[in-house]
Amino acid sequence: MVLWHPPDAPWVKLNMDGVFSTSTLEAREEGLVRGPDGGLLQAFYAPLAASSSFEAELLALIQGLEMAMDLSTHIWIELDSATLVSLLSSGHLGSADLRHHMALIWSMTSQWQVRFSHIYREGNQAADFLTGRGSRPLPLHTLIQSLRLGTWRR
């Protein structure tokens, strides 16, 4: 069984997901930041302009970082994309078409304590729940209550 675990203080944990549909060419970003008690600090989901799943993941990470940086200087980024975790951990900028996103991420994180780790999709259920919302957004208070109660499973 894969479970999500809260970070130790003073860390916050960012879980996010970027989704790209090859059939509709639409992309979305979703994510949430939770604190050491596991409580929701902030969440986001929105459409975005991306040309691939990988670019959607990068753009979702940038949005999530912007949110998390307002909350803490210690950010644990947990992703269900093992490829992206590997790229971020390597210090490389990746392919030419994505370098500007990677350079922005490195610039954003240069003054913060940041760690990257992989989590299987089953452990990333809260961010995955946001992915499943699609164009049917919940009112924020309903979303927060669902996440607190653990009722986000589809």
Side-chain angles (χ1 to χ4, degrees), residues 49-111:
S51 58
S52 69
S53 294
F54 201 74
E55 184 178 24
E57 291 279 350
L58 287 171
L59 293 171
L61 175 55
I62 291 167
Q63 175 64 31
L65 276 170
E66 289 175 355
M67 259 187 4
M69 291 170 136
D70 288 338
L71 301 169
S72 180
T73 58
H74 294 71
I75 305 167
W76 181 350
I77 301 165
E78 200 167 54
L79 307 163
D80 60 17
S81 170
T83 304
L84 183 52
V85 171
S86 178
L87 181 61
L88 291 164
S89 300
S90 74
H92 296 293
L93 291 176
S95 63
D97 58 332
L98 301 175
R99 285 181 185 228
H100 57 285
H101 297 315
M102 289 297 293
L104 178 57
I105 292 166
W106 289 127
S107 173
M108 292 173 74
T109 59
S110 65
Q111 301 299 314

Side-chain angles (χ1 to χ4, degrees), residues 4-153:
W4 180 90
H5 297 283
D8 294 326
W11 292 83
V12 297
K13 193 178 274 189
L14 167 62
N15 291 86
M16 37 65 50
D17 198 11
V19 179
F20 177 77
S21 170
T22 55
S23 61
T24 64
L25 302 179
E26 294 176 343
R28 295 184 315 275
E29 59 185 2
E30 297 91 10
L32 53 134
V33 180
R34 290 179 278 186
D37 65 352
L40 178 68
L41 301 174
Q42 249 181 327
F44 68 95
Y45 55 95
L48 59 91
S51 58
S52 69
S53 294
F54 201 74
E55 184 178 24
E57 291 279 350
L58 287 171
L59 293 171
L61 175 55
I62 291 167
Q63 175 64 31
L65 276 170
E66 289 175 355
M67 259 187 4
M69 291 170 136
D70 288 338
L71 301 169
S72 180
T73 58
H74 294 71
I75 305 167
W76 181 350
I77 301 165
E78 200 167 54
L79 307 163
D80 60 17
S81 170
T83 304
L84 183 52
V85 171
S86 178
L87 181 61
L88 291 164
S89 300
S90 74
H92 296 293
L93 291 176
S95 63
D97 58 332
L98 301 175
R99 285 181 185 228
H100 57 285
H101 297 315
M102 289 297 293
L104 178 57
I105 292 166
W106 289 127
S107 173
M108 292 173 74
T109 59
S110 65
Q111 301 299 314
W112 271 258
Q113 295 290 318
V114 177
R115 71 171 75 147
F116 301 100
S117 65
H118 176 259
I119 187 167
Y120 290 100
R121 186 165 299 280
E122 296 83 2
N124 202 23
Q125 285 184 2
D128 196 40
F129 165 79
L130 294 171
T131 301
R133 296 307 312 152
S135 61
R136 304 175 323 265
L138 288 172
L140 187 56
H141 69 279
T142 304
L143 171 64
I144 291 170
Q145 190 65 14
S146 296
L147 292 170
R148 282 191 183 135
L149 296 174
T151 58
W152 58 78
R153 289 175 181 82

